[in-house]
Amino acid sequence: MLKYWQLYLLMIPVIGYFIIFHYVPMYGVQIAFRDFNPVDGITKSPLVGFQHFLRFFSSYQFVRVITNTAGLSLYELAVSFPAPIILAVMLSELSSTKFKKTMQMVTYAPHFLSTVVVVGMMTNMLSPLTGIANFALAGMGIKPIHFMAEPSWFKTLYVLSDVWQHCGWSSIIYIAAIAGIDPSLYEAAIVDGASTLKRIIHITIPSIMPTIIILLILQCGRIMSIGFEKVYLMQNTINMPSSDVISTYVYRSGILNAEISFGAAVGLFNSVINCVLLVIVNQIARKKGETSLF
């Protein structure tokens, strides 16, 4: 440590970030077990045990919120997770360096757009009156569809727009993993007469499998943590049956209704579920192979 003290010095801001913004706030978790009053503070607010959790479990919205959150997360996992892998493999197989860089730039660019801008683009493009999508449907003799107001379309629009926005950026780590594969493996496969598809199946995918498994474990640990901003921007009173997830429910109950303890309890329940899923998936990965987080 003394020899490489400069490297450890660079770690201080990162360590400080996690301590200040992730570990210190954990002191406030006890709000979920109290009838919190800002005037009395955390420690002087009366303890109520699991009252807020029981209230959430017995709520008529419990099943809808959990079902929407899990359904949207699993849908996103099934579509958004393999998309960057496929894109990375396709880019790695391009022979033209100029075309490859152009495609990388085109696919990376949407990542830097604000979520507000992306949802605004979706609203304009999918408008039943002026949207280009409905103009195309009208040209085929199909009646206009109010995509943003249809509960059945919410999950698909959310997932596909997420793929468009983040697929290119997420593929970077896979491209880096593919770049680290020994070229002699491909050369030997070519000599043996292996086609491009066979080289991808028998060399590329197995070589980057440890990276895929680690990222899959991390993704499974966030199954119940659907981001708030995009869902809230796409949400309206008509698609609420399909778009109401835990994060928006916590916002309404904890912030708008000023039920801080209840909102904290729901958020803590969500975090515990994610932690349990992370441990379970990690254990499965460890038993099935040599790659795991811990």
Side-chain angles (χ1 to χ4, degrees):
M1 292 179 67
L2 291 176
K3 183 177 180 181
Y4 300 104
W5 64 270
Q6 298 95 336
L7 297 178
Y8 290 95
L9 188 65
L10 291 173
M11 293 173 59
I12 292 178
V14 178
I15 295 174
Y17 164 79
F18 280 100
I19 291 175
I20 295 172
F21 295 103
H22 290 269
Y23 285 94
V24 173
M26 290 177 70
Y27 172 77
V29 167
Q30 59 182 299
I31 292 176
F33 304 94
R34 295 178 180 272
D35 188 9
F36 178 70
N37 187 336
V39 177
D40 297 331
I42 296 178
T43 55
K44 293 184 179 180
S45 297
L47 283 167
V48 294
F50 291 92
Q51 176 181 321
H52 300 300
F53 295 92
L54 295 175
R55 176 188 165 190
F56 175 55
F57 297 153
S58 61
S59 171
Y60 74 94
Q61 292 181 318
F62 174 76
V63 175
R64 184 179 77 173
V65 169
I66 295 298
T67 302
N68 287 340
T69 304
L72 186 57
S73 297
L74 293 175
Y75 190 178
E76 186 175 24
L77 181 66
V79 178
S80 298
F81 185 78
I85 302 174
I86 296 172
L87 177 61
V89 172
M90 292 174 63
L91 290 175
S92 66
E93 293 297 328
L94 292 176
S95 57
S96 173
T97 304
K98 185 177 180 179
F99 182 68
K100 180 178 180 179
K101 291 182 177 180
T102 302
M103 290 302 300
Q104 286 177 321
M105 181 185 68
V106 170
T107 54
Y108 294 172
H111 174 77
F112 300 99
L113 292 176
S114 167
T115 304
V116 177
V117 174
V118 173
V119 176
M121 292 170 59
M122 292 172 59
T123 302
N124 291 331
M125 294 177 66
L126 300 176
S127 170
L129 298 177
T130 60
I132 187 174
N134 277 299
F135 276 135
L137 292 177
M140 293 184 290
I142 303 175
K143 293 182 179 180
I145 301 174
H146 200 334
F147 291 97
M148 300 297 287
E150 288 285 344
S152 59
W153 277 98
F154 178 82
K155 291 182 176 64
T156 300
L157 293 177
Y158 182 94
V159 172
L160 294 183
S161 62
D162 192 70
V163 171
W164 173 79
Q165 185 177 11
H166 300 296
C167 180
W169 182 260
S170 300
S171 68
I172 293 176
I173 190 169
Y174 297 112
I175 293 174
I178 293 173
I181 300 174
D182 188 356
S184 63
L185 295 175
Y186 291 105
E187 294 172 0
I190 293 172
V191 171
D192 290 339
S195 63
T196 301
L197 181 60
K198 288 186 177 180
R199 294 198 298 270
I200 292 173
I201 295 174
H202 298 289
I203 299 177
T204 306
I205 299 300
S207 297
I208 65 174
M209 188 56 68
T211 303
I212 294 175
I213 292 175
I214 291 296
L215 293 178
L216 178 61
I217 294 173
L218 293 174
Q219 186 72 21
C220 289
R222 296 192 296 267
I223 280 183
M224 300 298 289
S225 295
I226 290 293
F228 167 77
E229 185 180 12
K230 188 174 180 180
V231 174
Y232 183 71
L233 291 170
M234 293 178 62
Q235 192 177 80
N236 53 60
T237 54
I238 302 177
N239 65 22
M240 185 71 75
S242 180
S243 64
D244 194 19
V245 296
I246 289 179
S247 58
T248 56
Y249 182 71
V250 169
Y251 170 72
R252 290 200 313 275
S253 58
I255 305 299
L256 297 184
N257 297 334
E259 297 179 335
I260 300 176
S261 294
F262 179 71
V266 177
L268 179 59
F269 166 77
N270 187 34
S271 299
V272 170
I273 295 298
N274 281 332
C275 183
V276 172
L277 289 173
L278 177 65
V279 173
I280 291 174
V281 175
N282 185 77
Q283 291 300 320
I284 294 174
R286 181 192 291 181
K287 290 182 179 180
K288 296 297 181 179
E290 300 179 356
T291 305
S292 63
L293 285 176
F294 49 85

